[in-house]
Amino acid sequence: MNTISTRSLEQQRQEFSGKRFLAMPLAGTIVWLFIGLVGATMPIEYAVWAVWIGAGSTFYLGVGISKITGENFLAKNKTKNVFDRLFMSGVVMALLVFAIAMPFATIDHTSIPLTVGVLAGLMWMPLSWIIQHWVGYFHAIVRTLGIVAAWYLFPEHRFVVIPAIIVAVYLVSIIALELRYAELQQSVRSV
């Protein structure tokens, strides 16, 4: 099996970039759809818990979905790649933003979809840089701008409108990722 040290960074970047990247966006879509439904139908206390529980369960749902999509995050025979570690550093960076989200939530519980929605979208930035594709930049920027606008424009409906924006951005991102993946597969077949 290849190790990190025997392959160039460019080879490792190409290996990382050749992935489908579908499981986690699907998980995020499901979770934020659930959050929006709870926000639309349940008292605010349940909507608050839906965001916290949903944010905490997205990764685990993504791991399960990865087995269906063929990405299998927990496969024991995966080749180590520095870009996996770089991306995970971006994930940890985003999770550290909870240090801002949690205290802010104690002051204003309606801030939770704003802060969690933005911080969970930050990890798309390094993904875009690594795979050299616009989808991550689109996702992070449009998601953030949409969330902030909705937070100001719809103060009474933050637990519904913000998840709706996030789900819409996820759907566009999933389509873009699938088109990108199909293009990659086509180029591999034509070689």
Side-chain angles (χ1 to χ4, degrees):
M1 180 177 3
N2 288 338
T3 62
I4 292 173
S5 61
T6 62
R7 295 178 335 274
S8 72
L9 282 176
E10 191 54 40
Q11 288 171 318
Q12 291 183 65
R13 181 182 223 161
Q14 286 179 339
E15 288 169 11
F16 183 91
S17 298
K19 297 176 186 176
R20 193 169 184 190
F21 301 111
L22 185 60
M24 291 306 293
L26 283 174
T29 302
I30 293 166
V31 165
W32 282 100
L33 185 61
F34 169 76
I35 291 168
L37 290 172
V38 171
T41 61
M42 305 287 275
I44 193 78
E45 300 83 28
Y46 293 104
V48 168
W49 278 107
V51 176
W52 290 128
I53 292 167
S57 65
T58 303
F59 174 76
Y60 301 103
L61 181 59
V63 168
I65 292 171
S66 77
K67 292 179 182 189
I68 297 167
T69 63
E71 295 169 270
N72 200 359
F73 295 158
L74 301 180
K76 295 190 191 294
N77 60 347
K78 286 175 65 170
T79 303
K80 293 183 180 182
N81 187 303
V82 295
F83 291 101
D84 286 316
R85 290 195 341 233
L86 175 63
F87 180 72
M88 286 310 296
S89 293
V91 170
V92 171
M93 176 193 68
L95 293 175
L96 291 174
V97 181
F98 272 105
I100 297 169
M102 294 171 83
F104 188 25
T106 62
I107 296 166
D108 179 0
H109 64 277
T110 70
S111 70
I112 295 170
L114 165 78
T115 56
V116 174
V118 170
L119 75 87
L122 294 177
M123 58 198 77
W124 284 81
M125 295 295 283
L127 175 70
S128 226
W129 180 84
I130 295 169
I131 67 172
Q132 299 175 319
H133 190 273
W134 59 266
V135 68
Y137 298 136
F138 161 82
H139 188 98
I141 293 167
V142 171
R143 177 176 172 151
T144 298
L145 294 174
I147 289 170
V148 172
W151 195 77
Y152 283 111
L153 295 172
F154 304 100
E156 300 300 317
H157 304 286
R158 290 174 176 159
F159 285 90
V160 177
V161 177
I162 290 174
I165 289 167
I166 293 170
V167 167
V169 171
Y170 266 124
L171 293 175
V172 172
S173 300
I174 288 168
I175 292 167
L177 286 168
E178 282 296 280
L179 290 172
R180 175 193 164 277
Y181 187 71
E183 197 174 290
L184 287 173
Q185 296 304 304
Q186 184 65 26
S187 67
V188 167
R189 280 188 226 117
S190 65
V191 170

